Amino acid sequence: SRFPTEQHFSSWMGLAPSTRISGGKPLPGHVPKVFNRAAQALKQAASSARTDKSFIGASHRARLARMDTACAIKATAHQLARLIYAMLTKGQPYVAQDMDEYEAKSRDRQLRALQRKATKLGVRLVAA
């Protein structure tokens, strides 16, 4: 009850993304440093998720493909913080997503992206 939303909880932990952005670039200035032991533990858990064969590990590896390591670790720790907040406030156990479902969704997303690119280039794709 101390934190009204998961955004407040993530901000208190120092895991929320910066909002000082203009035109897609971070604004200059001092970013307040937050030292939270729970956040440090979540960052360690996130960095070890790289080799994990779970949904969180797969999403962390996908983040590593598109951003640098420090940002990916912080984003995965933020994801873990949101999961923890949801479990504590709703009183429900964590239900792990199936890796087959995640890979199927990822494959479908990649196929849709290829279709969009092909139509943009004027090429027609045929399924084999």
Side-chain angles (χ1 to χ4, degrees), residues 21-80:
I21 296 174
S22 175
K25 297 187 179 198
L27 292 173
H30 177 69
V31 177
K33 293 285 183 183
V34 177
F35 181 76
N36 189 311
R37 290 182 187 207
Q40 295 298 320
L42 287 179
K43 286 181 183 180
Q44 285 182 347
S47 66
S48 68
R50 180 181 301 181
T51 58
D52 193 18
K53 297 199 181 340
S54 67
F55 167 73
I56 294 173
S59 61
H60 181 64
R61 287 187 294 277
R63 284 186 187 103
L64 283 170
R66 65 180 187 268
M67 59 179 73
D68 65 333
T69 305
C71 289
I73 288 173
K74 185 175 178 181
T76 305
H78 184 225
Q79 178 185 14
L80 291 171

Side-chain angles (χ1 to χ4, degrees), residues 83-97:
L83 287 171
I84 289 170
Y85 181 83
M87 286 189 297
L88 291 175
T89 56
K90 296 176 184 171
Q92 297 173 346
Y94 172 68
V95 178
Q97 272 190 326

Side-chain angles (χ1 to χ4, degrees), residues 89-117:
T89 56
K90 296 176 184 171
Q92 297 173 346
Y94 172 68
V95 178
Q97 272 190 326
D98 189 23
M99 278 303 295
D100 296 332
E101 286 179 29
Y102 178 77
E103 289 176 359
K105 286 180 185 178
S106 176
R107 190 171 31 256
D108 290 341
R109 191 170 43 248
Q110 288 174 353
L111 286 173
R112 284 195 312 269
L114 282 174
Q115 281 284 7
R116 280 194 307 269
K117 288 179 184 177

Side-chain angles (χ1 to χ4, degrees), residues 111 115 118 123-128:
L111 286 173
Q115 281 284 7
V123 178
R124 185 171 163 231
L125 295 179
V126 178

